[in-house]
Amino acid sequence: MSGAARDVVNAELSGRAAMAQTLQLDKWFRDARSVAAIVPAEGHFGMLRRTLDLPAAFAALARREDGGSVVTPAGGKVAGDGVEELVFVRAAPFEVEFAIAQLPARDKYLCDARVSLMVQVLTDRAELDALCSRVLGSRSVVDIAAIERHLFAHIERAVQASVAACDASSLVAGEHADALAKAISDGLAEPCFSSGMAVASTPVVSITSAAYDRTKQAAQRAARALQEHAAQGELRDALAGAQRERLDHLEGMLARLKKLADDSPAVELPELMRAFEESQRGQLYQALFASRARRRMTQWIVVVAGSELLYFDAENPVDIVRRVTIDTPAGALRSVQRDADSGVLMLGAARGVCLIGPEDNAPTHVLLADGADEVRGGFNSVARRGNDVIGTHSELGIVHWRVDQPSSGKSICPDITAKADAVRCGKFSGNHFWCAVDASILRIPADDLSATPQRFDASRGRTVSALWAGDDRVFVGNADGDVLAIDADAEQDSCAPERLHGGSRRAVESIVRVTAGGIERLFFTDTTLAVFSRVIGDTFTCRYEAGGQTVRRAECAADVVAGTTDARDRILIWRADEPHQPVSVININRLTGRSIQDACLIPVAQLA
């Protein structure tokens, strides 16, 4: 024997001798994790103790000084005469467990496997020698964890090949459990045989896949959603039927009230409605608005985005029906309004305004403002009355043109607007032109636009942010969120605004008055999560809920409400009789890559 080999043997014997001094056999036998141990015989036999009793679960291999060896079965008595070394092994079967992660199935889902089975050490002398050689090696003690490490690679190969041949759905369902168990048993046959062990039970295999479970759960949620949608559809149909019956009854009442109002010229329908209790009035109002909403009033929703006018069908507002590109010296588009008399669309741009018919593909008139080369904003509103066109611009003030004289642009009351921060909301109504300048509103005779305007403090000293002018009343929204009203023929010195709605420090961005069935409603927005509607002259209010989105502006008619989100990326569409949620949401930014500048509605009558 070479010196190096002798050193190795001596080191091994020294280690085992040390083990003999530290290994407490009684304690080791009681440890459920113990599998095998090699110890020198000295210390276990003596002058008075020549035998060693084995527990019922353990056998022993006694290696003698003469080179022979004797196997003592489990629970037997080991004779100590001439014994040099003892090998103790657990003869009873013991459980081993394995966890194998991230195994790709045939359909590419990653799976995790857990395997458990019983293994038994064989107690014939040859098998025990194989165990010592292949498993124990230079170690003195082997436990269950060491056996698991010894077998892991073989288990992993068998499971990996079986999983790769099957889909995750069938693996998770346990359809291949028997085949997996056989593959594992077959894969362990050789390594167990060569290591003095045997598989003592059918392997138990469970397969899980978090990725497949997520996909399955998503499919189940989708299926449940479809079922719920179908159920909701049936419920909606039933509710719609009941609602139609209820509406028929309410509409009958409304018809009688209208006839009474028609037969009594001194009594108007709103006055008759107010004679009912509040809950009854609410039902009558809802029936009235629903009956009007079922009649199609609006043909197009027109949106200004970038340099384009986008036309959406108001009855099915999903796709862009028509696109018109506006390319004029007036520059980038800022706003759009519709002239009720002519039906022409009036476009506010950076340096002027454009007039275009609803079916035209280019402006018929481009009216440019002087001194507009350096402005940063644009004309935020445009109004028309006959041959007169007026645009409001926070930097250029109020500019008046004659349609037949495109170069006739002239400032109106520049002494008032010169130092103003906000000039906006220009509208013709009756015999006057109205607009807002900071916290004031101006009224100018429509027949003499050069006359000195009357100036009203209609917003209680706060900046006017929205305005709607009618023949009888003017409605004002301010930066505090208040909605106020003044008489259209009020005198400058006796203006006493009536507050219709108290705000919450969020500016009112739009106001629209809509008349349906003889009842007037005021729609307004204040960058909150709804469009608000209030019956004028009554306390009945309604919220058009935006589903968690903030609404900046709204254009309204008796059948449709179209709101622009505060982010200017979407148009929300409600049916006027369905305020609980939008029936459609149009993502303008996704369709065009541009933000929304403004929007308006074109009625069906416009194209008749």
Side-chain angles (χ1 to χ4, degrees):
M1 179 182 295
S2 67
R6 187 181 301 109
D7 291 342
V8 170
V9 171
N10 290 336
E12 181 176 336
L13 292 174
S14 297
R16 290 179 178 172
M19 180 66 190
Q21 296 174 2
T22 58
L23 181 65
Q24 300 178 26
L25 274 182
D26 289 345
K27 184 177 180 181
W28 185 82
F29 284 140
R30 290 195 301 270
D31 189 344
R33 296 168 296 175
S34 299
V35 175
I38 300 179
V39 296
E42 60 178 311
H44 297 289
F45 300 103
M47 293 294 295
L48 301 177
R49 185 183 181 188
R50 303 308 301 162
T51 62
L52 176 67
D53 293 330
L54 294 174
F58 286 87
L61 173 67
R63 290 174 174 170
R64 300 175 61 82
E65 295 173 351
D66 59 7
S69 59
V70 177
V71 175
T72 302
K77 191 183 295 286
V78 180
D81 292 338
V83 175
E84 181 180 51
E85 188 177 57
L86 292 170
V87 179
F88 299 108
V89 297
R90 183 181 294 276
F94 54 89
E95 186 179 37
V96 289
E97 295 181 321
F98 306 89
I100 310 164
Q102 303 291 289
L103 299 171
R106 183 170 59 189
D107 51 7
K108 308 307 179 185
Y109 286 108
L110 293 179
C111 299
D112 298 331
R114 297 194 69 87
V115 179
S116 64
L117 67 150
M118 302 299 288
V119 172
Q120 185 172 18
V121 175
L122 302 177
T123 56
D124 289 344
R125 184 168 54 189
E127 278 77 11
L128 291 175
D129 286 339
L131 179 75
C132 292
S133 172
R134 298 294 297 272
V135 180
L136 277 140
S138 62
R139 290 176 294 184
S140 299
V141 176
V142 167
D143 59 9
I144 289 177
I147 300 297
E148 290 171 343
R149 289 192 296 271
H150 180 72
L151 299 177
F152 179 81
H154 307 285
I155 294 276
E156 184 180 39
R157 267 195 303 272
V159 174
Q160 189 174 39
S162 298
V163 168
C166 304
D167 291 335
S169 58
S170 57
L171 288 165
V172 172
E175 296 176 12
H176 303 285
D178 292 343
L180 278 164
K182 184 178 185 305
I184 292 169
S185 295
D186 292 345
L188 289 179
E190 192 282 328
C192 281
F193 175 77
S194 63
S195 301
M197 296 182 290
V199 175
S201 71
T202 301
V204 177
V205 187
S206 65
I207 304 292
T208 59
S209 173
Y212 170 73
D213 286 345
R214 287 193 295 271
T215 302
K216 182 179 178 181
Q217 289 165 8
Q220 290 172 342
R221 286 195 298 270
R224 284 196 301 269
L226 287 173
Q227 293 172 352
E228 291 170 2
H229 181 73
Q232 289 171 358
E234 294 176 2
L235 179 60
R236 281 196 299 270
D237 290 344
L239 291 174
Q243 188 177 33
R244 279 192 296 271
E245 293 180 4
R246 178 170 168 269
L247 285 176
D248 290 342
H249 170 70
L250 292 172
E251 286 177 359
M253 290 182 62
L254 284 170
R256 292 193 292 274
L257 288 173
K258 289 176 186 176
K259 185 176 185 306
L260 181 59
D262 292 340
D263 294 343
S264 306
V267 180
E268 296 183 350
L269 180 59
E271 185 177 349
L272 290 173
M273 297 276 277
R274 286 194 291 272
F276 288 86
E277 294 181 359
E278 185 172 353
S279 61
Q280 294 173 322
R281 291 202 309 275
Q283 294 178 16
L284 289 170
Y285 285 135
Q286 289 174 345
L288 174 64
F289 301 145
S291 68
R292 292 301 182 270
R294 291 198 295 269
R295 303 175 188 176
R296 186 172 187 185
M297 306 293 291
T298 306
Q299 179 71 40
W300 302 114
I301 300 168
V302 181
V303 178
V304 173
S307 60
E308 290 186 304
L309 296 181
L310 310 175
Y311 287 71
F312 295 88
D313 184 348
E315 195 166 60
N316 185 29
V318 177
D319 299 317
I320 301 173
V321 177
R322 182 166 166 253
R323 305 173 80 142
V324 177
T325 301
I326 307 297
D327 184 11
T328 72
L333 300 181
R334 167 67 176 79
S335 62
V336 59
Q337 287 86 37
R338 173 183 165 274
D339 177 29
D341 294 332
S342 65
V344 167
L345 297 182
M346 305 173 292
L347 309 177
R351 295 181 292 276
V353 303
C354 306
L355 306 182
I356 182 172
E359 294 184 300
D360 293 339
N361 292 317
T364 56
H365 298 82
V366 178
L367 311 175
L368 300 178
D370 293 334
D373 293 337
E374 302 299 326
V375 298
R376 291 172 296 178
F379 282 90
N380 50 58
S381 70
V382 184
R384 180 179 182 183
R385 184 174 185 265
N387 200 36
D388 294 307
V389 173
I390 297 180
T392 60
H393 193 298
S394 291
E395 296 165 82
L396 300 176
I398 307 168
V399 182
H400 169 224
W401 293 270
R402 304 282 293 177
V403 175
D404 56 0
Q405 299 175 25
S407 59
S408 63
K410 180 182 178 181
S411 292
I412 295 176
C413 50
D415 54 327
I416 296 176
T417 63
K419 296 183 179 181
D421 293 322
V423 182
R424 53 173 68 131
C425 305
K427 301 182 190 304
F428 279 105
S429 180
N431 297 320
H432 297 97
F433 171 77
W434 298 84
C435 72
V437 179
D438 290 339
S440 302
I441 59 174
L442 305 184
R443 184 178 68 191
I444 305 173
D447 295 330
D448 185 9
L449 294 170
S450 61
T452 300
Q454 286 193 297
R455 192 168 183 173
F456 300 88
D457 178 12
S459 65
R460 298 185 175 181
R462 307 300 295 170
T463 298
V464 176
S465 51
L467 181 149
W468 192 95
D471 294 345
D472 55 345
R473 301 185 87 190
V474 177
F475 299 93
V476 176
N478 67 20
D480 279 350
D482 296 333
V483 177
L484 306 110
I486 64 169
D487 291 336
D489 57 358
E491 293 300 324
Q492 179 172 300
D493 297 332
S494 60
C495 173
E498 175 191 1
R499 190 167 79 163
L500 304 178
H501 172 77
S504 55
R505 302 292 178 179
R506 301 176 73 94
V508 174
E509 295 289 346
S510 65
I511 297 179
V512 180
R513 184 166 78 172
V514 175
T515 301
I519 301 296
E520 295 181 332
R521 278 191 292 173
L522 202 65
F523 290 83
F524 58 93
T525 58
D526 60 359
T527 60
T528 53
L529 305 180
V531 178
F532 297 89
S533 167
R534 173 173 177 156
V535 172
I536 296 175
D538 205 337
T539 57
F540 178 78
T541 58
C542 178
R543 287 169 55 102
Y544 288 79
E545 300 293 346
Q549 302 186 76
T550 304
V551 185
R552 185 177 186 85
R553 297 178 56 83
E555 296 296 322
C556 310
D559 59 335
V560 168
V561 176
T564 301
T565 59
D566 193 41
R568 296 181 181 272
D569 60 343
R570 291 172 170 83
I571 295 287
L572 312 178
I573 312 296
W574 292 265
R575 297 268 80 89
D577 60 338
E578 297 179 16
H580 55 284
Q581 65 180 13
V583 296
S584 181
V585 178
I586 310 171
N587 193 323
I588 299 297
N589 183 264
R590 188 172 60 201
L591 290 173
T592 67
R594 301 284 186 174
S595 59
I596 301 164
Q597 293 299 317
D598 203 359
C600 75
L601 306 180
I602 298 180
V604 172
Q606 173 66 37
L607 301 179

